[in-house]
Amino acid sequence: THGITSAPIPVSTWERRTDKETSPGDDVCFAVDFAPDREHASVAVAGLGPGDKHVVELVDRRAGTDWVVGRIVQLWDKWKPRAVVVDQVGPASTVIPELEAAGVNVVTTSSRDMAQACGRLFDAVLNDKVRHLGQPELTAAVAGAAKRKLGDAWAFSRSSSAVDISPLVA
């Protein structure tokens, strides 16, 4: 598998960042990602929590994709987030027009943005600057993730990972 290497985030380090009492606060962004086969979709939230720790949480993961737009609109109306982030070349990009038509501020990521986001998440986990709730689906995505080269950087590889990593990518 050319350009594919093992999961970059050590699961033991990820598990040490668990804080079941943490919260991403009120100033948040949501993100959505689909598995490559579109069998599952995931919605995540990120924000700055107590002690200036980045807090990430899996908000929803379900079979299929037809539920995503309605769920995002519901979260948008309730939480008034800064934006909903979608990878512009990822499988979830198909919902961008519907989300924008519903009045959601969608921010799309380029390959460069994804590489930077993956590097920043990696650094935050290793440098004890991230917290999460210890959700099994998110931990499984961390454990089963593969990475792919993007220039001299890398991003998570949906197609080469051992499991659905949409919870992690979101």
Side-chain angles (χ1 to χ4, degrees):
T1 56
H2 178 55
I4 305 295
T5 57
S6 63
I9 298 174
V11 176
S12 59
T13 304
W14 175 258
E15 289 175 337
R16 285 196 305 273
R17 305 305 178 236
T18 302
D19 179 350
K20 296 196 182 287
E21 305 300 315
T22 197
S23 165
D26 295 328
D27 188 13
V28 298
C29 285
F30 287 93
V32 62
D33 194 54
F34 294 174
D37 61 11
R38 304 176 82 79
E39 285 190 19
H40 287 91
S42 297
V43 175
V45 65
L48 209 52
D52 288 335
K53 303 286 185 184
H54 300 280
V55 178
V56 294
E57 178 181 331
L58 180 63
V59 174
D60 210 338
R61 178 177 182 270
R62 298 186 216 168
T65 60
D66 61 342
W67 60 272
V68 171
V69 171
R71 181 68 168 129
I72 291 290
V73 169
Q74 178 188 47
L75 292 166
W76 180 260
D77 291 343
K78 180 176 181 179
W79 295 101
K80 310 291 187 240
R82 287 180 178 245
V84 173
V85 180
V86 182
D87 181 1
Q88 71 182 357
V89 295
S93 64
T94 56
V95 299
I96 293 170
E98 285 180 83
L99 291 174
E100 290 176 337
V104 172
N105 177 29
V106 177
V107 172
T108 59
T109 58
S110 65
S111 295
R112 168 187 259 168
D113 297 328
M114 286 299 281
Q116 288 176 349
C118 291
R120 289 182 72 192
L121 178 62
F122 174 85
D123 291 346
V125 171
L126 266 59
N127 294 313
D128 195 23
K129 295 184 181 193
V130 71
R131 292 291 179 268
H132 60 87
L133 297 175
Q135 297 164 296
E137 299 95 341
L138 187 51
T139 298
V142 169
K147 62 182 181 176
R148 60 188 167 94
K149 288 184 68 58
L150 279 175
D152 286 336
W154 58 268
F156 297 112
S157 174
R158 292 178 194 91
S159 59
S160 297
S161 294
V163 298
D164 170 24
I165 64 166
S166 67
L168 175 60
V169 174

